[in-house]
Amino acid sequence: KAGVTQTPRYLIKTRGQQVTLSCSPISGHRSVSWYQQTPGQGLQFLFEYFSETQRNKGNFPGRFSGRQFSNSRSEMNVSTLELGDSALYLCASSLEMREPLMFGELFFGEGSRLTVL
Amino acid sequence: GESVGLHLPTLSVQEGDNSIINCAYSNSASDYFIWYKQESGKGPQFIIDIRSNMDKRQGQRVTVLLNKTVKHLSLQIAATQPGDSAVYFCAEVNNAGNMLTFGGGTRLMVKP
């Protein structure tokens, strides 16, 4: 079956702009999580959605937002881009994200590489 | 392939040798841990997990050891192969089970 699909794979923006990234989870998966990966901070949790509801949010400013649609596809948006937002943004999907934990069934996409100039 | 440019500790091993990758975690209340492998240009891939009621868990060529006393995890890879070259991350799972906290990662390089 198709894996987690993230678009676009690469994009370049300038400071002050905004960006929207898209994630299509594996068919049937209802939970979508987003992570930011940078050289300085490593992998950091942004948010997790399940059935269109944000269930958890990481320690990021309000410029970072997301949403999930009824078909489980998810988007994240970053407004007023800063140089430090340059990163690889990873999306992960799973059937569920609750006990019994099924992290063996958590699959990551290849990411969207954002460069802010 | 794409590199995330991480400034990571690097472990260099000879093909066929065993590799040991270490990780320290911070939350003594964490009770579920996972090791991920990330190859260049790809997202993290699940390798093996372990719960805090276990000290050791084995998979295919991989073993995870958990020492709760010193909050330390290790990943052992037997007979390391060139395809094992990647960045390896440990991760803690939060109590709600919907968030991962990743360690800084270790780059494994396998010399043929």
Side-chain angles (χ1 to χ4, degrees):
Chain A
K1 56 183 174 182
V4 178
T5 303
Q6 292 189 245
T7 56
R9 287 294 313 279
Y10 302 91
L11 68 166
I12 300 173
K13 293 285 188 177
T14 57
R15 280 179 297 176
Q17 287 186 312
Q18 67 95 27
V19 67
T20 299
L21 308 177
S22 179
C23 172
S24 293
I26 291 172
S27 178
H29 284 193
R30 298 166 64 191
S31 170
V32 173
S33 305
W34 288 89
Y35 289 81
Q36 181 198 63
Q37 187 171 27
T38 61
Q41 300 299 318
L43 277 153
Q44 293 187 292
F45 173 78
L46 281 157
F47 18 69
E48 188 257 348
Y49 289 88
F50 182 82
S51 292
E52 302 179 66
T53 300
Q54 185 183 88
R55 298 196 299 187
N56 199 1
K57 188 176 191 300
N59 189 26
F60 279 81
R63 299 185 297 107
F64 291 79
S65 63
R67 59 178 175 170
Q68 186 181 33
F69 302 95
S70 58
N71 61 358
S72 294
R73 190 177 69 85
S74 178
E75 290 181 345
M76 66 163 285
N77 184 277
V78 188
S79 62
T80 319
L81 284 165
E82 301 176 0
L83 295 178
D85 298 332
S86 295
L88 181 67
Y89 290 89
L90 290 160
C91 168
S93 79
S94 70
L95 283 168
E96 299 278 3
M97 288 287 280
R98 59 171 177 79
E99 286 286 358
L101 293 168
M102 297 175 66
F103 277 85
E105 300 295 322
L106 177 69
F107 297 94
F108 282 85
E110 295 188 334
S112 292
R113 164 66 68 183
L114 171 65
T115 300
V116 181
L117 302 177
Chain B
E2 153 192 339
S3 168
V4 297
L6 296 169
H7 304 293
L8 300 168
T10 298
L11 174 65
S12 185
V13 301
Q14 202 70 39
E15 182 179 357
D17 287 351
N18 297 334
S19 302
I20 299 177
I21 300 170
N22 296 305
C23 175
Y25 63 92
S26 56
N27 186 357
S28 58
S30 294
D31 64 1
Y32 186 42
F33 305 89
I34 307 169
W35 278 100
Y36 283 96
K37 172 186 181 183
Q38 187 175 24
E39 297 175 279
S40 182
K42 296 184 178 180
Q45 180 182 8
F46 173 93
I47 302 173
I48 191 168
D49 58 0
I50 189 168
R51 289 195 174 271
S52 60
N53 60 353
M54 303 173 70
D55 297 323
K56 178 180 178 179
R57 188 160 189 230
Q58 288 185 292
Q60 187 176 15
R61 283 201 308 118
V62 294
T63 301
V64 55
L65 299 178
L66 174 61
N67 185 329
K68 296 180 288 292
T69 303
V70 294
K71 293 187 287 185
H72 182 269
L73 277 164
S74 68
L75 176 70
Q76 300 178 358
I77 304 174
T80 313
Q81 303 169 0
D84 296 326
S85 294
V87 177
Y88 290 81
F89 296 93
C90 67
E92 304 169 55
V93 180
N94 69 332
N95 291 337
N98 60 6
M99 183 180 85
L100 296 166
T101 300
F102 284 87
T106 297
R107 188 181 304 278
L108 176 64
M109 297 178 62
V110 182
K111 297 176 287 187

